[in-house]
Amino acid sequence: MNNLTACPLDCYDACAINQSDGKLKALKHGHTQGFLCPHLNHYEKYEQISQPRYMGKEISLDEALIKFKEILAATNRDEILHYRGFGNFGLMQGVTDHFFASHGAILTDGSLCDGAGEAGIIAGRGSNKNMPLSEIAKSEVVLFWGRNPHVTNSHILPLLEGKTIIVIDPVKTKIAKIAELYIQIKPHTDISLAMLLCRFLHIHNGCDTEFLEEYASEFEEYYELTQGIRIKATLEEMDVTLGQIGKILELVKNKKVAIVCGVGVQKYSDGADVLRAIDAFAVMLGLFGKEGCGVAYLGNSKEGITSPFNTKAKRVSKVNTEFDNYKTVFIQGSNPLSQMPNSLRVKESLSKVEKIVYFGLYENETSEAAHLIIPAKSFLHKNDIRTSYSHNALMKMNRVRESDSGISEYDLSSYLCREFGIEIESEEFYLSHFASFGIQKTDSSYAVREREEIPYKNGFDTKTKEFQFLEELDIVPTQEDSLFLITPKSSRSLNSQFKREESVYMHPSLGFNENEEVTISSACGSVKLKAKNCDDIREDCVLIYSGTKGVNNLTSSKHSLEGKNAIFQEEKVKVARG
Ligand SMILES: Nc1nc2c(c(=O)[nH]1)N[C@H]1C(S)=C(S)[C@@H](COP(=O)(O)OP(=O)(O)OC[C@H]3O[C@@H](n4cnc5c(=O)[nH]c(N)nc54)[C@H](O)[C@@H]3O)O[C@H]1N2
Ligand SMILES: Nc1nc2c(c(=O)[nH]1)N[C@H]1C(S)=C(S)[C@@H](COP(=O)(O)OP(=O)(O)OC[C@H]3O[C@@H](n4cnc5c(=O)[nH]c(N)nc54)[C@H](O)[C@@H]3O)O[C@H]1N2
Ligand code: SF4
Ligand SMILES: [Mo]
């Protein structure tokens, strides 16, 4: 058995793993440097579902498969919905799409994650090619803008040694505490800051005009647009000083700069414009196409890879899915009852579905609501291959353990294809299809062949090869009398997997006692949680981590204006005792 695999989780780092002496270990070389993270160090302690169930009763896997077939056979094809999340990032997860698309079922599109930011990046650059970790390693200044590396991206930390760190985040994260400059910005005001940075950069003749004339010739028009911002009122609105803006400009001047953005800045209706405005600042500095420079976000993990599966299907959005339009809903690699916005709506809508089939690893709100539960095999027990949204490796995920329980995505799809007369290739065929996009590197690892370490060297991917700036100033005002909801990632969980948080975190000045029960409410719903005091949070914010039960009672299922994304931080909230 080959002992090499990779962590399957939806995480920037996508770590290579070696099984030795029955333990999961990180590779000594490469970005892991011998370390995984708590999720993977304790991976096998989290209890997985081992036995299929139908209507609450345990059944055998064969019985579960027959039951599933019968359910599908008894449902009109266009009344079947396949809802798939990213519980596992292996490319073979998509093989179920092949069956459901070929069968004539409905699939999903849209995103609960990075879609708004991605739409803004594509509007500006024409594509979403990422600045990989290996390039961030070469930069002199790293500006973390709405990303929390100690929690979500810990393998970037060793690369930061000796670099100047700047952090822009409403929460004083660990990286903020060690930064040269930390700006505790008011949430949802980053677009104004990005535009003001461009304006002052231009005023101080700090723009890379040679670069701009070639690749972003409309920069003067953009500068004019930034002049529409009222400086004093906007500084107040953002809770940022002129001194801080000056300091950022001083620190990035003539340096190799990586602007490392996360999903935090774009959980809003105008999330696309936020990333586009941050990109514009990077463009003004001439940071694209140069070593150690650029903007790192969540790149397109499938860049350079084509799908071997049939994926042609009618699709509905993942954000506001009307489950009750379907008789059968098949949920894979996802816990929508916790992780989709507007949980009360989701609950109501799912409660009207005749048959919910849950295909996953763990018990959660969604498995509880499901009629048929089919346990998946974990990554240790199946073959797969993965790519990443933050580096360019193509990683084989070899089966490193044997297990009798659960079924792999391929085996489930192959069973269904056989039963319904749909053609499907062998598992090896698909694995070698994906492997064929790899190119071996000197250290014997593989990278995706088509990806460049330094993208946009010869201009952008827009029609004109030039960066397309925002043309209108469209800043969304917020309600004044309530608190911002910040809902970021927790170090203990991966969204709703592993150890989930149970509290709401607030600044002590809000006056709640430690562990006192409070009700947090928004226009969409409410949730009761234990209060925890924390000095690192602004007084105008409450923080509830992703994965906390009930957090999405508060969030709206409206879409971002661009990118068909969820907007988890748009709704403001109130907190009351009891
Ligand atoms: N431990 C752990 N790791 C994870 C995950 C997990 O659940 N747990 N989830 C994985 C997934 S699915 C993803 S998408 C990635 C996301 O990883 P990150 O991109 O790091 O995402 P978040 O933690 O949501 O938000 C990052 C930071 O944005 C800040 N922020 C919030 N609102 C604003 C704002 O208006 N302006 C600015 N400037 N900052 C703001 C938050 O305070 C937070 O510190 O992490 C992955 N890795
Ligand atoms: N309030 C709030 N809500 C959020 C977010 C937030 O920051 N705040 N973040 C959003 C983001 S960025 C994301 S990406 C989504 C994530 O939302 P989901 O995609 O629902 O992610 P998880 O909660 O991690 O659930 C993943 C599920 O995948 C299953 N699974 C794991 N491995 C496998 C496998 O190999 N095969 C199969 N079949 N199943 C498997 C597990 O049982 C687990 O229940 O949540 C979004 N929701
Ligand atoms: S850091 Fe991310 S990719 Fe690496 S082991 Fe942990 S969860 Fe997996
Ligand atoms: Mo995500």
Side-chain angles (χ1 to χ4, degrees), residues 159-432:
L159 307 181
L160 301 178
E161 204 155 312
K163 301 190 195 309
T164 303
I165 309 293
I166 307 172
V167 175
I168 303 171
D169 197 308
V171 179
K172 192 165 188 188
T173 56
K174 256 194 179 169
I175 192 77
K177 290 176 186 169
I178 55 169
E180 169 101 24
L181 175 65
Y182 168 51
I183 298 181
Q184 191 162 25
I185 192 169
K186 187 194 257 187
H188 204 174
T189 63
D190 303 271
I191 187 168
S192 304
L193 178 57
M195 291 181 92
L196 275 186
L197 282 166
C198 286
R199 176 153 159 198
F200 285 104
L201 187 72
H202 191 281
I203 292 172
H204 295 123
N205 298 319
C207 295
D208 183 340
T209 38
E210 205 179 306
F211 176 85
L212 289 173
E213 265 149 30
E214 192 164 359
Y215 297 121
S217 58
E218 287 175 3
F219 71 100
E220 290 292 359
E221 283 87 336
Y222 187 64
Y223 170 62
E224 270 171 39
L225 186 69
T226 67
Q227 286 180 308
I229 298 178
R230 286 158 56 227
I231 295 179
K232 194 161 166 277
T234 306
L235 288 173
E236 233 163 72
E237 169 70 20
M238 301 186 298
D239 203 3
V240 174
T241 64
L242 265 188
Q244 287 173 319
I245 289 182
K247 184 80 185 171
I248 294 184
L249 296 179
E250 180 194 315
L251 291 175
V252 300
K253 197 174 167 192
N254 299 324
K255 289 281 173 11
K256 289 184 185 170
V257 182
I259 302 182
V260 178
C261 297
V263 294
V265 284
Q266 55 95 63
K267 297 179 184 183
Y268 306 105
S269 54
D270 60 344
D273 289 352
V274 178
L275 255 296
R276 198 163 165 197
I278 293 174
D279 255 6
F281 176 51
V283 165
M284 293 292 226
L285 286 165
L287 296 182
F288 286 96
K290 294 177 190 156
E291 183 173 270
C293 298
V295 177
Y297 178 59
L298 293 83
N300 173 7
S301 64
K302 301 229 174 80
E303 191 207 332
I305 310 268
T306 57
S307 172
F309 305 127
N310 175 19
T311 54
K312 231 177 119 214
K314 190 173 164 230
R315 287 171 191 265
V316 295
S317 172
K318 271 196 170 73
V319 177
N320 64 352
T321 323
E322 292 183 38
F323 292 104
D324 47 337
N325 286 345
Y326 306 91
K327 283 216 169 100
T328 297
V329 173
F330 174 71
I331 298 171
Q332 171 189 339
S334 174
N335 179 12
L337 271 168
S338 163
Q339 294 307 113
M340 275 175 82
N342 201 344
S343 301
L344 302 177
R345 188 205 69 82
V346 176
K347 203 169 172 186
E348 164 79 19
S349 181
L350 266 176
S351 72
K352 295 183 192 141
V353 174
E354 258 173 47
K355 289 283 183 284
I356 301 172
V357 183
Y358 172 81
F359 180 38
L361 289 185
Y362 304 112
E363 301 287 4
N364 53 35
E365 294 91 327
T366 308
S367 71
E368 217 169 89
H371 304 91
L372 175 63
I373 293 173
I374 304 177
K377 277 197 189 311
S378 89
F379 80 106
L380 299 168
H381 306 120
K382 61 195 175 199
N383 288 309
D384 210 330
I385 192 160
R386 76 163 289 175
T387 50
S388 153
Y389 46 79
S390 97
H391 57 68
N392 294 333
L394 184 86
M395 309 156 97
K396 286 207 175 134
M397 303 166 73
N398 294 299
R399 178 171 66 230
V400 297
R401 303 270 168 82
E402 295 296 347
S403 151
D404 294 333
S405 63
I407 183 167
S408 71
E409 285 66 25
Y410 178 81
D411 287 343
L412 179 65
S413 306
S414 131
Y415 166 81
L416 293 171
C417 284
R418 209 166 48 237
E419 294 297 321
F420 288 93
I422 292 165
E423 272 184 42
I424 182 166
E425 302 287 348
S426 69
E427 187 174 22
E428 291 67 37
F429 173 89
Y430 294 128
L431 290 170
S432 30

Side-chain angles (χ1 to χ4, degrees), residues 424-445:
I424 182 166
E425 302 287 348
S426 69
E427 187 174 22
E428 291 67 37
F429 173 89
Y430 294 128
L431 290 170
S432 30
H433 169 90
F434 290 125
S436 73
F437 296 99
I439 181 164
Q440 195 161 22
K441 299 201 299 185
T442 44
D443 64 357
S444 82
S445 66

